[in-house]
Structure formats: C-alpha cells, structure tokens
Amino acid sequence: GYETIQNKRPFALLYFDPRMQEIHRAWARALLTTKNPYTGVPLAREPAVGIIEIVNEDSFFFWTFTKKNIPAVHWQRLEGLYGQWLIRRYGSLEQAFAAWGGERLPGDDAGSGRAGLYEAWHMTAGGLKAGGPNKAKRVSDQVRFLTELQREFYAATVKYIKEELGSGSLVSCSNWHVSDARLLDALERYTYTAGDVIDRHGYFGGKHKGEGASYSVRVGHTFENLAAVTVPERLPLQFAQVEGYPQIISEIGWPNPNRYRADCTFLASAYGALQGVDGIYFFAVGSNYLRDNSMKKFALSCPVIAGTFPATALQYRRGDVKEADKAIYQIVKLEDLYAMKGSGLTTAAALDELRKRDIPAGGEAVGAVTQLDPLTFYVGRVVRAFGEDPEQSRQRDLSAHINRDKQTIKSLTGELSWDYKTGLVLVDTPRSQGAAGFLSRAGRIELRNVTIDCKNEFASVLVISLDDEPLATSKKILIQVMTEERPYGFKTEGNRITSLGGMPFGVKKPAVKVSLKLEGGGEAKVIALDENGYATDKSVTTRGDGVKAPLEIELAEDAIYEVVERP
C-alpha cells in the first residue's frame, strides 16, 4: 500500500500488521542467534549486549499516526481490529456506537466489522475541545484500544526474544514522545512496562534552518546560539520515572551548530545522577576513528562532548552527586488515563529537529503543566506509579528550592544550584566540584574546596578526585576545563554558515584560575596533560600549598586537563 502515499516509512505498522511482525522477528532471530565465528557465542548470549531495543522512535500516540503516513489498506486493517475489540467490550458495534451517543466516523462499517479511528490530533487536548462529550467517550475507547494493542505487541516480543531466542539481555520496548504529554505520556510509558527498562530520547539546541537542517549542517544554513543553562525547561533532562523500573535516555545530545555546548555532559551527569537515571547514552559516534572530522549535527566524538567525559563520566558512574529523595510521588489510575483525565505531569518537548517535522504547527507544546512546575526535575526525583488510589500521591513543598522571581533552583540534596538568569550551574560535592555556563559573567565562584576565576565568556570547569577520596584529602585530582570548539576554517557571516571547515578542531584557549583548599601535608605537583591524557611539560603557574594557603593554579592556556598530585 505504500505505493499509494508519499511516506515510505512504516509508522505504527509493527504494532498490528502480522507480516511486518513476521519480518521483524526474522530480523531478531538472524541478529541474535547467528553465532560469532570466532567465539561461537551468538549475541543472544553475549554478555556485552546489555539492552536490546524492540523499535526506535515510533508509537500509536505520536503525530505520525495519520492517514497520510499509513496506507488505507493498513488503516482499514487496524479499524477491523478495533471493531473486534469493541465487539468484545460492548457486545456489538451498534452498541458501541450507541454508547458514544451516535458519534460516527467515515470508517464505521458495522457490516464489515470495522470502526473508524481518529488521527493523532484528536487524541490531544485541542482535539477533544473540538468535540463534545460523545467524542470524548469515543476517543477514550480508542486510546484504551491502542494502549492495549501496543503493550500486547511489546509483551509478546519480549517473550519471543527471551524465551524463543534465548536472550539474557534486558529488553527496552521503545523510547518515544507523544502528541500530548499531559494526556498520553503516562500511557506510553505504561506500554513500556512490558519490558525491563523505561527509555526516552531528547535533544537541546537553538533554531537551525536550511535544507536538511534536521539531520545535517551545511553551508548556507542559519542558526541560533542558545545556552542550556539559561532555559532549564527546554532540556531533555526531565524524567517522570516509572516506579520499579530502571530509567535511561538512550539518545541525548546538544546538536550543532551552537557555540554554547560546553555545559552538555556537565548538566547530564549532575542532573542525571540527582534523579537516579540509570544510563545516559550520547548520540552519536560518527566515525570508526572515534572522532568527528567536521561539524556534524549530532556530534559526540569532538572536544566539548567526548573531551569532557573523563571528569563527568567518573562523577556520574561513581555517584558523587547524591540521588535525591522524591519531590513528587504520583499514583495514576489506568481508568483515569483512559478517560483522558491526564496525568497532570509533563516534560518539556526535547525532540531532535528530524522528528519535529512530524509535529503539526502549534503541536510542539506538550500541554499545560497544572500540577507540577517543570523545574521540579532539577530539585528532586519525580516518580510515577500505576495503581488504584491516586489520593495516596505525595508532593513536597518546594518553595524553598524554586524561586521563579530570582530564577534560581536548588536541589533537595544541597549539592546542585542553578541560576538561569545568569546562566550558571554549580556542583558542590565532597569528591567533585565545579561550574558551567557564563563563568566570566558570574565572577569569582566559591565552592567548599574550590574557587574558580574564569575570564572565558562560556565554559565548564570540573575539579574531581581520582582516588575516591574527598577533594580535601585527595592525593590525585583532575581539573578539567572546556570552552568552545570550532573546526579549522569554520566561518559565518552573522548567523549564516559560509564554510564548514574541517580537521583539526580548535578549542578556545582557557583563561582560568583554580584555587584548592586541601588538608594534610606535602608539596603539590601540577601536571598539564595533552588531549589524550598523557603528561606534558607545559608550564603551569602555581602558588601556595593548599593547606597553609590555598593552592592557586593558573591553568595552561593550551590544555584542558591538569592533574594535581600530592605525596
């Protein structure tokens, strides 16, 4: 049927079409059961395979659920499945139509056992407002049907992967967004509970325009520089977590072009850890040489992302930032969700530009936040449970942690603070301390063991213990700084790109002084490292010993790593 429509991507087809499901299972069998010719071990039994994902970026509840994207032959098949479901629920299609007060659609055909389906927009708050109570009843049944069908597919596929293919890995169902988060996000995540992991995707960046701008960077494109530290509500670091399931974000990134990307891994590490997120996967490795050789849309193998992994990855994996208590614990009842009452919880839409094209004009907003300030995610954990008594939900008073007038946020743990008016985030834990954002604007930054003076407009600085000791007593400390990167020869006229440039990447020279307050004796030695972490003979100016007087370090202007060693 795809010869009849312009779209050639099988959106939603996998959830209900037997032939598509047969093809999908054949792929899974070939992928997971073919033995490695060197080890004799298939991927189903390969310990290095941590998670298997069933389907990427698809759902019944996204904007792609339209007749424009799904050929008539398949749409009508789905309507037939809906008709069968309604007969089981009401006894007959005529009784279902009567229960909806006579609300009818062109696809209704009781003689053929079909009931028409609304497209995505009708399952949103705007779509419901465009009809009366009878339409709301019909939409409610449709949402229940689609939820059950999507979850049943996931459950059957998880069973197939584990029992028939013998996989020992965790299984992630999917990772996608919905057309109206307030009404549908909880149901989308509920369908994922058929698997082992709750996942989602998210990106942050400014406006980027031009042909292919959703997935590439080209000469002639225009762009906006936008710093995440100034717009916390737009970040993909807001997780309404499902109780009892690990939470991951299997695609995250700060896409190019954007000067202000030095805060990316800093924010992901700090606030991912605060919320207890169990895995963060940056997108995407674009080269077998593990480096980007020009400005890529989704850059990972570049200085500001991979180059900042040493400190931020250690901080995240070691648990330097404490996991917060629950700021909100919400119990939602499936019957209420099916009745389109919504969860009351929403997260900011943080889609990559490639998928924003599937959202109609005005549809980018994910719905009104009626019960939750989205800044709550930067204060503590937001946890959702599926149960029968919503009255048992709990919500903390966060007035001491969120100040909308001053534009500040403080975590429940006291270790993270955010001034989004200035554009500054601070991390202050025993083993890692630092700052990210507009550091020159912020002036001198005083943390418990670290003082930062930075003349660069935008940068991140993270000081971290390498021997698991608190910074005060650590014998080996890494100082990591990142500013801005640029491919050699990259040029613009205003906000228009005139040359992409290429290798090598340049990093704006750091102009940073760091002071350390330490305990214990012994003269400190400061060594500048190269980009691969090897010691160099670059000059680093120091004063004091860190005990009698703070150890003052003027970081090398041509290094992003310095190690402080003490006997």
Side-chain angles (χ1 to χ4, degrees), residues 202-206 226-229 231 234-236 253-255 258 260 263 350-351:
Y203 294 86
F204 170 79
L226 183 64
V229 288
V231 284
R234 291 183 54 176
L235 269 59
W254 270 220
N258 187 3
Y260 303 129
D263 58 4
L351 309 184

Side-chain angles (χ1 to χ4, degrees), residues 288-538:
N288 290 334
Y289 295 101
L290 294 179
R291 65 182 184 184
D292 289 323
N293 52 22
S294 64
M295 182 175 283
K296 304 292 187 183
K297 178 72 174 182
F298 303 109
L300 187 160
S301 305
C302 57
V304 297
I305 307 298
T308 57
F309 277 4
T312 56
L314 174 60
Q315 178 190 64
Y316 174 79
R317 295 168 67 89
R318 191 168 63 184
D320 288 6
V321 176
K322 294 177 186 175
E323 182 174 327
D325 292 334
K326 297 182 184 75
I328 291 179
Y329 177 68
Q330 184 199 35
I331 299 172
V332 291
K333 191 175 180 179
L334 283 175
E335 288 298 324
D336 291 342
L337 297 175
Y338 291 143
M340 304 302 284
K341 294 181 181 180
S343 65
L345 298 178
T346 185
T347 58
L351 309 184
D352 65 276
E353 293 295 330
L354 183 61
R355 297 313 303 276
K356 280 183 181 178
R357 296 183 307 179
D358 298 322
I359 301 175
E364 187 173 327
V366 296
V369 179
T370 59
Q371 299 178 21
L372 167 70
D373 187 324
L375 300 183
T376 301
F377 297 100
Y378 308 116
V379 177
R381 293 164 57 219
V382 177
V383 178
R384 175 187 291 144
F386 297 100
E388 292 299 317
D389 190 1
E391 294 302 317
Q392 296 300 312
S393 302
R394 300 187 302 274
Q395 182 169 352
R396 296 181 62 149
D397 176 15
L398 302 180
S399 57
H401 298 271
I402 299 174
N403 189 320
R404 284 280 181 178
D405 294 331
K406 293 184 178 180
Q407 299 181 36
T408 59
I409 314 164
K410 294 182 180 180
S411 69
L412 290 173
T413 62
E415 294 181 335
L416 306 182
S417 59
W418 195 326
D419 175 352
Y420 57 96
K421 181 178 181 180
T422 302
L424 178 70
V425 172
L426 304 181
V427 174
D428 198 353
T429 81
R431 293 188 295 194
S432 53
Q433 297 166 33
F438 292 94
L439 301 193
S440 64
R441 183 190 303 171
R444 171 165 286 199
I445 297 166
E446 299 273 1
L447 304 169
R448 69 180 81 180
N449 298 102
V450 176
T451 300
I452 300 169
D453 290 280
C454 178
K455 294 182 180 179
N456 297 98
E457 177 196 15
F458 194 81
S460 64
V461 179
L462 189 56
V463 182
I464 188 166
S465 160
L466 294 180
D467 56 9
D468 294 341
E469 290 291 317
L471 282 171
T473 57
S474 175
K475 305 305 182 195
K476 194 169 188 178
I477 297 169
L478 171 65
I479 303 173
Q480 174 180 288
V481 59
M482 182 52 63
T483 54
E484 301 172 33
E485 69 179 14
R486 182 179 297 179
Y488 180 76
F490 178 82
K491 295 179 182 179
T492 63
E493 292 180 357
N495 66 343
R496 181 177 173 274
I497 299 171
T498 58
S499 175
L500 290 177
M503 292 290 286
F505 276 66
V507 173
K508 182 171 285 189
K509 293 179 178 180
V512 181
K513 293 180 181 179
V514 171
S515 298
L516 303 178
K517 299 175 186 176
L518 307 173
E519 298 174 7
E523 183 178 352
K525 181 181 181 181
V526 183
I527 306 165
L529 310 181
D530 67 14
E531 60 271 25
N532 293 310
Y534 292 104
T536 72
D537 57 2
K538 294 175 181 178

